Amino acid sequence: MLNTYALKAEARTAVGTGPARELRRRNMVPAIIYGSNKESVMVALPEKELTIQFHKQGFLSHMFDIEVGKNKYRALPKAFQLHPVTDAIEHMDFVHVNEKEKIKINVTLHFVNEAKCPGLKQGGVFNIARHALEVFCLASNIPENIEVDVAELAVGQTIHVSDLKLPTGVETKLDQDATIATIVAGKTSVDNTEESASEEK
């Protein structure tokens, strides 16, 4: 089940370039929470705390409890704007979470057992086609990540969407034949194959 992270925020009423610049001078990031037929809420978030969360893996699939005074809003990150030079966060969009409705979200794929993978031991190269999977589920069922086991993957083999074991209550509408990852022949594996062929002659 997905962890929920807390962020303390300030309410904001002024909009536009001037007020946004003033917030940034105070090391605050302007943000908005909207959607799910709920009232939009304009807030300002501490830049330091938001940046720490932003750099965590799978940030866009993390759920947040944004506290504004005595109010608390459960929300998911939707979009962000970065400074073109410094990459500092300049604005954040969040969407309200409706606990009773399924949502569409990208969940990070976590590849495991690479050390056991025969294809890699043979000199193959791990080619990842997707680092995240688009799924549909209730907010309470959002997984922190989806594991992809490569323990038995040999050179030339591919993992498809149909090979993934999705948690209960989580589904995807992607083509079941879509590629997740494959092991392609690397120089070492090609050399080994050529040596074997030469020995057989």
Side-chain angles (χ1 to χ4, degrees):
M1 183 176 175
L2 190 69
N3 291 326
T4 302
Y5 302 87
L7 280 174
K8 291 187 179 296
E10 297 178 3
R12 66 184 179 98
T13 55
V15 296
T17 303
R21 286 178 178 169
E22 178 58 31
L23 283 174
R24 296 185 190 110
R25 278 195 289 268
R26 294 174 45 221
N27 296 317
M28 302 292 286
V29 177
I32 187 171
I33 313 169
Y34 59 88
S36 294
N37 296 317
K38 296 181 180 180
E39 184 179 358
S40 295
V41 181
M42 294 192 301
V43 299
L45 296 163
E47 181 183 19
K48 181 179 179 180
E49 285 76 5
L50 179 60
T51 301
I52 289 172
Q53 297 297 335
F54 180 78
H55 287 293
K56 290 182 178 178
Q57 185 179 28
F59 169 74
L60 289 177
S61 61
H62 287 175
M63 189 150 51
F64 290 89
D65 282 333
I66 300 176
E67 300 177 18
V68 186
K70 295 182 179 179
N71 297 318
K72 184 183 291 186
Y73 304 96
R74 181 154 289 184
L76 288 163
K78 178 67 174 179
F80 54 86
Q81 296 174 12
L82 301 180
H83 188 280
V85 177
T86 66
D87 280 341
I89 306 171
E90 293 202 317
H91 192 276
M92 276 297 311
D93 286 9
F94 292 85
V95 291
H96 287 290
V97 168
N98 186 330
E99 303 286 356
K100 297 181 180 180
E101 291 182 358
K102 284 190 174 184
I103 58 176
K104 179 174 69 174
I105 189 168
N106 287 314
V107 176
T108 301
L109 295 174
H110 179 51
F111 296 88
V112 298
N113 291 325
E114 291 183 42
K116 299 179 181 178
C117 178
L120 295 179
K121 290 181 179 180
Q122 295 163 6
V125 177
F126 196 33
N127 187 4
I128 300 176
R130 294 177 183 272
H131 291 274
L133 185 73
E134 183 182 271
V135 302
F136 292 80
C137 61
L138 296 175
S140 57
N141 288 336
I142 299 174
E144 188 72 22
N145 56 60
I146 296 173
E147 285 196 351
V148 183
D149 193 345
V150 299
E152 299 181 1
L153 202 62
V155 172
Q157 290 189 320
T158 298
I159 294 178
H160 300 97
V161 170
S162 59
D163 298 316
L164 300 179
K165 294 180 180 179
L166 300 182
T168 302
V170 178
E171 62 179 348
T172 182
K173 295 182 180 179
L174 290 178
D175 186 340
Q176 293 296 295
D177 291 328
T179 297
I180 297 297
T182 186
I183 301 287
V184 297
K187 185 177 185 304
T188 303
S189 59
V190 171
D191 289 346
N192 289 338
T193 301
E194 291 176 348
E195 289 176 5
S196 298
S198 297
E199 290 174 0
E200 291 177 359
K201 290 182 180 179

